Structures are given as structure tokens and as C-alpha cells.
Amino acid sequence: MNNGEHTQVNPLIQRVLVVDDDVALRAMLVRSLGRKGFVCLEAACAEEAGTALLTNIVDLVLCDISLPDLNGIDFMKSVKADLPELDFIIMTGYSGEFSYFEIVAAGASDYMMKPFRVDSVVARIKRIERERATLVNLRKTNQELALTMDRAEAASQAKSEFLARMSHEIRTPLNGIVGYTDILLGTRLSAEQQEYIRNTQTSCDVLLSVVNDILDFSRVEAGQIRLDPMEFDPEVLCFESLELIRTQVDEARVELVCHIEDSVPGCVRADPHRFRQVLLNLLGNAAKFTSEGGIELCLDVGDDKEDGLILCASVRDTGIGIPPDAIESVFEPFQQVRNTAKAHEGTGLGLSICKKIVQQMGGQLRVESEEGKGSLFEFTVLVEPVEREGSRSIRPVDLSDRRVLLVAVTEASRLMLARVLRGAGMIVDAVEYGTDPVAALEVPGARGCCYDVAIVDLKGKGSNRGFNLAKTIRSLPGPCSKLPLIVCASPEPGGGDQCRQAGFDGFLPKPVQASKLISMIAGILGMENNADGNMLSETFGMVTTHLLAEEAKRSASILLADDNPVNQKIAQIMLSKAGYRVVTADSGMEALEIYQASTGGVGLILMDINMPGMDGLETTRRIRTIEQSLKTRVPIIAFTANVMPVFEQQCIEAGMDDFLIKPMKREAIFAVVQKWVVNRDGCWD
């Protein structure tokens, strides 16, 4: 064999099977290809070729289209059923039965018309070899990419788990700090000590905000932002958000305005927590960078969509504005506008997170700004309008002498939570996770459950003990299976659904605030009275602090005492549209009779002063006298056109709680209702 005739053999195609019943052609191909460095096998028919393929490794088959026992196309198809990667070159001496398209479509890599030169055979083999090498390299690259992606996903998951773990580890001591500072503020402290405690609370809030930002950003990067749609009132949520940032501005120099268009529905279905998160971030930034002028929050309705309604929210301020060269980067992570000498704390993640949340909610976030004049942030979200069938009347109950089973993780948590509960007059049985809490429920011969409510402090992410406890209680025989269960846990994606499925009725995020804990218990026990024998979760769904505020609003009956029918009509339209139940009285005497007949069902009274017969001041005095025996106090708001300071003092001395000036303005009346009904500190006590 002449070494000059050899080429470098590519191991991808080295062994060739030649199948042809023409002995001379077959011998010529075997000899010629052998000189080119290929190892050749030969067969005269399909049966022999099949045997050769079973007993030898073959890289390519050179097959005649017409064989004595089977045509080459059918033979190729039968082989490729078991060896789909094996390449075939079909040889044919005529063009008739099969076209080139049919041969290639059947699975051939190429075909040749007889007679042909051996060089053309070798050229076709080399082309197939190159294509196979490209395919092998592509598969190898894809495998490497897949491996890289798996590693990246694993690293991202590990980072998310680490951040979630760190979040839990930070929240756990924060829970004790927040709880005990709340308790400490309720004790006798000097003015200096109160200032120290409030500064401690502020520092805790800042730290918690940083933890939440970092955790949210990790979820954004990992694509783990989950929405938890529920019914809520967007108008109430806007006023509530504005109220939360009120303490961050100097209202003597900065005016806070909330404008809600009449077209905004009173109830929608979306994720209120994420909606509030975006609002609070934008309002917080506005408060941070606005030292004088105003901050305006507006809510309007955009175009209808097939799958819902577009809500358009905007926050406009008269602050320092954003430099033109920084507009494009404000939504980038870890970016902060540096155009003032004053340093502002923050991670630079808020707007980046907000943009992702808004996109997840089916909307867009944009900004307009002029340096030195202020900024306008606008965003849209897709919501589902909801028609409410009617309000559920939920009256929070007195917690005195109510029995509570407390299952806490640590001794510090048990002591802190138990002190808060006992401070509300409750009888507390605190147990550890190591004991069997269910045993405390199983009292032989008891006609009912020996507890009114159970509080479970969930032990960190990944622990199922709290969930298993809830499931066990739900499986108990008798009334204990319907014991109201409240879980205290760190907020995690999907955590609410997991708690709901386990059987919990209420969810409180850590760190737990004392006022919210008491509000949750009082509200849930009030709801229990209207659960019609069902578990609370079956009647109301998962109870959250947001739902309690919504229920407080919808459950509150507002009594409007005013002899002017125009004022009555305006107030009824405004408040009824927002979901409040409004009762009107034309005189002080009628208002007093309605209050006495309501047996505590009135949540707020708007009291005109100048009414025929008994005026508003005297009506208020009589209501306060009645309340002394009932041990309750309904908020009474003076509703008058008299703006003299001495007159306002007379209203306060008569027992009124606040002052509302005529003419009636939508923003003013909703701010009063928000303050005294939805956010009232004593609302659930």
C-alpha cells in the first residue's frame, strides 16, 4: 500500500460497510477506500449487511439502492430504526423509482449516481464527517452550557437560601427587640427615655427595610417574585400608605395630598402587599428628597383589558429632582442619585425592585423629572374589578379572660408574646415545641375546646413542625378541630399559601408588633362569631393585618347627624361608594336614638353642631354618659362650618375626638375615616 495515498484518518468515520450485489464494483470500492485509510466491510445483500452491522462497529454505510432481497431505501429505514445516528450514502444506477428528495427524506445523508469516481465518494464521506464533527461539537457545547446553567442556578439557589437564612437569623432577634420596645413604651418613662426607645424603633425599622430589600432583590434575580392576589380597596390602601409616610415629612412645609378619581372601583383583586410596597417606596423617596412644597398621590383608571382593568398610580413631588444624566440609571440596582450634599440612607435597590414588581403585576413604571423642580413617578398595574355582594359585620371582641395556647420557638419569644397577651387580659398557657401542644387540647369530658385561640411561632424556614401541628389540630375530633390558629412567621414566597393549606386562620409577619398581634386575635375572635360553624379560613380565607383593616372599614357603620339633606346626600355617595355603611339622622335626638338602638354597632359618628332641638354638643355629652356604663367609646367627629379655635375647644370639651370643617372635601373626610376607623389604635382592643 502506497503511503502517499493515505490521508489522516478522522476517527469519526473510520469503518465503512459497502453493500452491493455487483462483485466488481464492491471490490473496487473496498480496495480504493482502503487506500484512503478506511477500514471496509462488504456485503452482497441486505441480509448479509444486517449480520455485519450486528457483529461489527460501522460508522457509515455505502449502499446500492437495488439489492437482491430488499431495496436499499427499505433496508436503510429498518437499520435506522435501531441505529438512528448511522449515516447512509445511497448509490443508484438509474433515476426513476426514488427521487433525490425521497432518498434524503427517508434518512440518507447523501446519494450518488453510477458510474462515479472514487474521489467523489471520498469527498462525500469527508463532508458527512465534517457535518458530524460540527454536530458533535454543538452537542458538547450544549452540554457545557447546560452544565454551566445548572451550576449558575444552583449558585443562585444557594445564594437565595443563604439570604433567606440570614433574613430569618436577623428577624429572630429583631422580633425580641421590637416586641420589648413596644412593651417598654407602655411603661412609665421619662421624656429622654422615650426618645431613646423611639430611636431604637426607628433603627429597627431601617434595619428591617434593608433586610427586606436585599431579600426581595435576591428573589427578583432568581425570578421568585410571587403574587398573592386578594380583594382590597385601592382607595383605602392609598390613604393608608400616605398616612404611613406622614411622620417622615414636615407638614408645616410639605403638603400631603391624595386624589382618587371617582372611576376607581371600591374593590379589586390583585396583590395589595406588593401594590403597597411600590407605593411606599415611591412615597418614601418623595418624602426623603422633598423639604418644601408638596407630595401628591393620585389614583386613576386606565384602559379596560380582556383580563382586567388597568390602575394608574402616580406620585408627584416638588423635591430636588433627578439630574438628566441619572434618569436612565435610577431603576438600576445599587444606584442612588448623588446630587445633594446630604447623604440619604438606603441600599439603592428600591426602584429596581419596584420596577420588577410592577412588571410582574402586568404594568410599567416610568419617571419624569426636572432637576431642582421635582419628580413624577407613574406606574400601572393590572387588577380584576370585584363586585361585593355585601359587607360582613365583624365586631372585635373583648379579650379579657380569653384563654390562649402559645407555642413559641424560644424562651425569649414566649416571654415577650406572653407578656403582650397577658397585658390584654388574656389567660396564657405557653408551651415549647419540644412538648406536645395537642395534649393540652385533649381534656377528657370537655364539652368544648378549652382554648379560645392558639398562637404558633413558626420555627424558621424549612421546619415543618408548625405546619404539622396545625394539621394535627385540624384532624382532632370535636370542637378543638375548629380552634382559631394564628401563625407568626418570617414572610417567604408562597408562605401564605403554605400556612393556609396547613390550616392556619391568621398570618402575622415577624417581627411581631404587639398592637397587630392583639388586633389580629380580637378580629379573628370577632369573625369566629360569624363563621356559621365553619372554620374561619373557609368563611374569610387567610386573615392578615391588611384583611383586618379592610374588614374594619367594611364593618364600620358611620352615623351622619346633619339636618342638611344636601350634606347627607354628598356624604352617603362618597362613603357608600368606598364600601362603608352610612346611617343618617336629621337631628341630635334621632342620632342619640339610633346610637342606643345599635348596641355598639356604630363605628364612627360625624356630628353636625347646629341642629334643631338637641344640638351636636349636647348629643355628644349624652352619648359619652351612656358609654360610661358600656365601657366603650365611639369616635365622634365635629362636622361644622365654624372655624374659630375657641369653638374647636368647646367640641373637645364636650367629648368629641376630631374636627372636620365644611364644605365637605373627599380627601378630608377619607383622612378622618382612615384615622378613626381603619387605623384607629383602639379599633380592635
Side-chain angles (χ1 to χ4, degrees):
M1 187 176 289
N2 189 344
N3 291 335
E5 296 180 356
H6 284 279
T7 60
Q8 184 178 1
V9 177
N10 190 317
L12 291 178
I13 298 180
Q14 185 176 8
R15 302 176 67 85
V16 178
L17 172 61
V18 180
V19 186
D20 199 310
D21 59 339
D22 185 332
V23 177
L25 177 61
R26 190 172 71 243
M28 183 272 295
L29 287 171
V30 169
R31 184 175 58 255
S32 299
L33 291 175
R35 289 183 181 140
K36 297 294 184 182
F38 295 99
V39 177
C40 294
L41 304 175
E42 56 182 299
C45 62
E47 183 179 358
E48 290 181 10
T51 302
L53 289 171
L54 289 175
T55 56
N56 297 274
I57 296 174
V58 175
D59 301 317
L60 180 140
V61 178
L62 192 61
C63 182
D64 187 27
I65 198 168
S66 179
L67 298 174
D69 50 352
L70 190 64
N71 72 65
I73 299 298
D74 290 339
F75 170 65
M76 177 179 65
K77 289 180 179 179
S78 66
V79 171
K80 278 187 166 290
D82 296 323
L83 302 170
E85 301 294 328
L86 184 60
D87 289 295
F88 272 75
I89 298 177
I90 299 297
M91 301 179 293
T92 178
Y94 57 91
S95 58
E97 185 177 355
F98 296 100
S99 67
Y100 170 74
F101 174 77
E102 289 173 325
I103 292 173
V104 173
S109 301
D110 209 338
Y111 93 115
M112 300 179 63
M113 291 288 294
K114 297 177 182 178
F116 49 75
R117 292 169 56 88
V118 173
D119 289 344
S120 64
V121 177
V122 174
R124 282 169 167 79
I125 293 175
K126 292 299 182 184
R127 178 187 59 76
I128 294 171
E129 191 174 60
R130 289 193 298 272
E131 291 175 354
R132 187 183 292 185
T134 300
L135 182 60
V136 168
N137 290 334
L138 182 60
R139 287 175 177 170
K140 181 180 179 181
T141 301
N142 288 340
Q143 289 174 351
E144 291 174 349
L145 286 174
L147 182 61
T148 302
M149 288 181 64
D150 289 342
R151 288 173 177 170
E153 289 176 0
S156 177
Q157 180 67 22
K159 181 181 69 176
S160 297
E161 290 179 357
F162 170 75
L163 289 172
R165 221 168 25 247
M166 289 305 299
S167 170
H168 171 70
E169 294 301 324
I170 294 173
R171 286 173 187 274
T172 298
L174 266 181
N175 186 48
I177 297 171
V178 171
Y180 280 117
T181 51
D182 276 348
I183 293 171
L184 197 56
L185 276 175
T187 63
R188 290 186 177 182
L189 298 172
S190 66
E192 183 180 14
Q193 290 171 328
Q194 288 182 350
E195 182 183 358
Y196 293 160
I197 295 299
R198 289 195 176 93
N199 288 341
T200 302
Q201 286 184 319
T202 300
S203 298
C204 287
D205 291 340
V206 171
L207 178 57
L208 190 59
S209 175
V210 171
V211 171
N212 288 337
D213 278 354
I214 294 175
L215 193 58
D216 270 341
F217 182 69
S218 73
R219 291 169 183 162
V220 167
E221 279 196 318
Q224 294 178 345
I225 291 183
R226 293 184 58 174
L227 301 180
D228 189 11
M230 64 179 67
E231 295 180 11
F232 70 98
D233 187 330
E235 185 166 24
V236 168
L237 192 146
C238 285
F239 276 99
E240 182 184 72
S241 300
L242 205 63
E243 195 66 30
L244 288 173
I245 65 107
R246 190 175 297 277
T247 57
Q248 301 177 31
V249 301
D250 180 1
E251 292 194 73
R253 303 178 64 186
V254 179
E255 181 184 10
L256 297 178
V257 178
C258 186
H259 181 70
I260 312 295
E261 293 292 338
D262 291 336
S263 55
V264 175
C267 182
V268 299
R269 182 174 178 81
D271 190 330
H273 308 295
R274 294 298 185 183
F275 189 75
R276 182 193 289 107
Q277 182 178 353
V278 176
L279 277 180
L280 288 177
N281 185 276
L282 299 182
L283 288 169
N285 284 344
K288 190 186 300 182
F289 295 106
T290 304
S291 58
E292 60 181 355
I295 298 172
E296 181 183 19
L297 169 60
C298 295
L299 188 65
D300 199 356
V301 172
D303 298 331
D304 289 341
K305 300 289 185 181
E306 292 184 0
D307 50 349
L309 180 73
I310 295 294
L311 278 186
C312 306
S314 66
V315 175
R316 184 188 300 273
D317 66 64
T318 58
I320 61 177
I322 303 172
D325 59 349
I327 289 286
E328 296 297 326
S329 63
V330 292
F331 296 116
E332 296 297 323
F334 306 106
Q335 297 297 316
Q336 289 183 315
V337 178
R338 304 290 184 183
N339 58 352
T340 62
K342 180 182 177 181
H344 294 281
E345 72 279 353
T347 59
L349 294 173
L351 288 176
S352 174
I353 294 170
C354 286
K355 186 172 183 178
K356 294 292 185 181
I357 290 174
V358 168
Q359 290 174 345
Q360 186 85 353
M361 297 181 74
Q364 296 293 328
L365 173 61
R366 71 181 193 90
V367 60
E368 296 177 6
S369 185
E370 186 174 351
E371 190 172 9
K373 293 188 177 181
S375 303
L376 170 65
F377 284 86
E378 294 180 319
F379 71 93
T380 58
V381 294
L382 181 65
V383 301
E384 176 189 349
V386 176
E387 293 292 335
R388 282 198 172 124
E389 298 178 357
S391 299
R392 296 185 289 257
S393 179
I394 310 301
R395 298 184 187 176
V397 300
D398 183 11
L399 299 183
S400 299
D401 298 326
R402 294 286 188 138
R403 295 185 64 88
V404 56
L405 175 63
L406 173 61
V407 185
V409 180
T410 63
E411 183 179 3
S413 295
R414 285 196 303 277
L415 291 174
M416 187 271 291
L417 292 173
R419 181 165 182 171
V420 170
L421 296 171
R422 291 189 179 104
M426 303 189 75
I427 302 172
V428 183
D429 286 341
V431 298
E432 302 177 10
Y433 263 97
T435 61
D436 183 10
V438 178
L441 301 175
E442 299 172 331
V443 180
R447 294 183 179 180
C449 187
C450 53
Y451 291 100
D452 296 290
V453 65
I455 313 293
V456 179
D457 183 16
L458 200 61
K459 188 178 180 180
K461 182 179 178 182
S463 172
N464 292 320
R465 299 181 69 179
F467 297 129
N468 292 336
L469 172 60
K471 292 175 182 177
T472 301
I473 291 175
R474 291 293 175 239
S475 65
L476 291 174
C480 285
S481 63
K482 296 179 180 179
L483 175 68
L485 300 177
I486 299 174
V487 61
C488 303
S490 299
E492 299 290 345
D497 288 336
Q498 195 173 6
C499 292
R500 187 184 300 111
Q501 293 170 6
F504 286 105
D505 301 297
F507 178 89
L508 273 175
K510 289 184 178 181
V512 177
Q513 294 183 6
S515 58
K516 291 184 177 180
L517 175 61
I518 298 304
S519 297
M520 174 74 72
I521 298 171
I524 279 185
L525 293 182
M527 291 177 180
E528 187 185 19
N529 296 333
N530 291 337
D532 299 326
N534 297 320
M535 287 190 299
L536 294 179
S537 56
E538 296 175 358
T539 304
F540 297 93
M542 175 66 76
V543 179
T544 63
T545 53
H546 175 79
L547 179 63
L548 287 176
E550 287 289 309
E551 291 297 340
K553 170 200 160 182
R554 293 199 295 267
S555 301
S557 177
I558 297 176
L559 173 58
L560 172 63
D562 196 316
D563 61 329
N564 188 319
V566 175
N567 289 340
Q568 288 185 1
K569 189 65 175 178
I570 293 173
Q572 275 191 312
I573 292 173
M574 285 184 179
L575 295 169
S576 298
K577 173 189 170 295
Y580 295 100
R581 293 183 288 116
V582 182
V583 181
T584 60
D586 297 325
S587 65
M589 182 59 71
E590 184 181 359
L592 185 61
E593 292 172 352
I594 292 174
Y595 172 75
Q596 289 178 302
S598 70
T599 62
V602 175
L604 179 73
I605 300 177
L606 297 176
M607 185 76 74
D608 186 24
I609 303 301
N610 298 316
M611 292 183 290
M614 187 186 302
D615 66 11
L617 296 175
E618 180 59 26
T619 305
T620 300
R621 294 188 190 100
R622 295 197 182 189
I623 290 175
R624 294 304 185 215
T625 300
I626 295 171
E627 287 177 338
Q628 290 178 2
S629 61
L630 299 177
K631 295 183 179 180
T632 61
R633 182 182 175 89
V634 61
I636 301 178
I637 312 301
F639 189 42
T640 178
N642 194 326
V643 296
M644 297 300 292
V646 65
F647 185 72
E648 182 176 351
Q649 184 60 34
Q650 290 176 0
C651 294
I652 300 299
E653 291 174 355
M656 294 185 176
D657 299 286
D658 211 336
F659 206 74
L660 193 59
I661 302 297
K662 296 180 181 179
M664 184 180 300
K665 293 184 179 179
R666 179 189 183 92
E667 288 79 9
I669 194 169
F670 273 102
V672 166
V673 173
Q674 180 76 15
K675 176 181 178 181
W676 292 101
V677 175
V678 180
N679 290 339
R680 182 185 170 203
D681 289 340
C683 181
W684 300 100
D685 292 342

